[in-house]
Amino acid sequence: MFPFKIQTHQAIPVRAVQQRGDFANQMLTMIDSEGFDVGCIWFTDEAHFHLNGFVNKQNWRFWGSENPYWCEAKPLYSPKVTVWAAVCSRGIIGPFFIRETVTSERYVAILEQFVATQQVLEDRPRTEWFMQDGARPHRTEQVFRFLDEYFGNRVIALEYPKFTGAGMDWPPYSPDLTPCDYFLWGTLKDIVYPKHPATLDELESAICVPCESISVETLRNVMANFILRLRHLCCANGEHFENIVM
């Protein structure tokens, strides 16, 4: 019998609801009272792209107050590549590809490539912010020391303030706030898979092309949508909300 993995659906923890609400209020205070520009944030994320046309991301989960005991079966051993990218209002850095398991060391190697590219592109060096989610390979001393060296207190990352005493915590269970989740991965999936890539090399090439063609105007709209999502999150008291069409 062909092996499958089971994707389950569960309610968001109460503590995470509070963290999400606190983050939205803090960001909106910075935006409304201090004129903070969210366009200076590099939002980063990674996703598994499978040859069978499936993108493994939290954005494809359903959140609710109760577990509906519904599951979706997907092939377990479909060849895949992990894609990492950074998005801000002025462009996309990446994608970078990993075919092995993502470790802290491999993640830092990607960050080194990102920083090298970002420093060449930016006309305001060392003033950008960096965001990452709370994946376990992201929350290590090696990663936090690297981010502290290049971004200092301009980091939004789960547990980063605990390590450095600076920056902001990224709230867990928040794919609905990450531009890669609510925009980039879905856009790439719609463009890449109709081409029916047959190998991982073809899949990687098919992912690179649309990343280079996304306009700055589109990315500015994506960042504006992030602010709208923060406001909806406050209205929802930290709970997940229906998707917002840009």
Side-chain angles (χ1 to χ4, degrees):
M1 183 176 179
F2 196 80
F4 281 86
K5 63 181 177 182
I6 300 300
Q7 182 175 348
T8 58
H9 307 266
Q10 59 186 5
I12 179 173
V14 174
R15 173 57 179 161
V17 172
Q18 179 181 346
Q19 290 174 297
R20 283 163 50 81
D22 291 345
F23 174 79
N25 282 310
Q26 183 179 2
M27 284 295 302
L28 288 173
T29 297
M30 294 170 60
I31 294 167
D32 296 336
S33 302
E34 305 171 20
F36 179 75
D37 178 15
V38 299
C40 73
I41 303 174
W42 284 101
F43 291 91
T44 72
D45 195 25
E46 58 204 31
H48 302 311
F49 278 69
H50 295 252
L51 277 180
N52 67 358
F54 177 65
V55 182
N56 184 17
K57 279 305 302 176
Q58 292 185 19
N59 206 35
W60 275 264
R61 295 180 185 173
F62 295 97
W63 303 98
S65 58
E66 298 180 359
N67 188 342
Y69 300 100
W70 179 84
C71 63
E72 180 182 1
K74 293 291 182 181
L76 180 61
Y77 298 124
S78 172
K80 71 178 186 297
V81 62
T82 301
V83 183
W84 186 95
V87 178
C88 83
S89 63
R90 289 183 294 283
I92 297 175
I93 294 181
F96 299 106
F97 301 102
I98 301 177
R99 297 191 184 182
E100 304 88 358
T101 301
V102 178
T103 63
S104 180
E105 291 74 18
R106 289 176 178 137
Y107 180 56
V108 169
I110 287 179
L111 292 180
E112 290 173 343
Q113 297 179 70
F114 162 76
V115 167
T117 305
Q118 182 248 349
Q119 290 180 335
V120 170
L121 294 178
E122 293 299 336
D123 56 358
R124 298 180 295 174
R126 303 184 70 83
T127 61
E128 305 302 298
W129 282 64
F130 179 91
M131 169 269 160
Q132 68 175 22
D133 65 20
R136 187 167 298 277
H138 301 175
R139 294 180 285 123
T140 67
E141 179 177 350
Q142 182 182 9
V143 171
F144 286 159
R145 287 194 183 281
F146 181 91
L147 295 179
D148 183 48
E149 177 182 355
Y150 286 97
F151 293 98
N153 63 349
R154 299 181 306 279
V155 174
I156 306 172
L158 183 64
E159 297 183 1
Y160 183 79
K162 184 188 302 183
F163 180 82
T164 65
M168 297 174 60
D169 266 316
W170 177 256
Y173 299 91
S174 297
D176 51 346
L177 295 180
T178 312
C180 289
D181 273 307
Y182 67 74
F183 165 71
L184 183 61
W185 303 138
T187 298
L188 294 180
K189 179 180 179 180
D190 290 342
I191 296 174
V192 167
Y193 287 118
K195 300 178 181 178
H196 304 292
T199 66
L200 291 182
D201 287 339
E202 291 181 6
L203 179 60
E204 290 181 2
S205 297
I207 291 171
C208 288
V209 174
C211 281
E212 297 173 356
S213 64
I214 296 174
S215 69
V216 171
E217 180 181 2
T218 295
L219 294 175
R220 288 174 179 167
N221 290 335
V222 170
M223 295 304 115
N225 190 258
F226 171 71
I227 299 175
L228 181 61
R229 286 167 179 267
L230 292 174
R231 301 195 189 283
H232 276 263
L233 182 56
C234 288
C235 293
N237 297 316
E239 296 281 358
H240 284 97
F241 47 83
E242 293 296 325
N243 192 41
I244 301 171
V245 179
M246 292 185 292

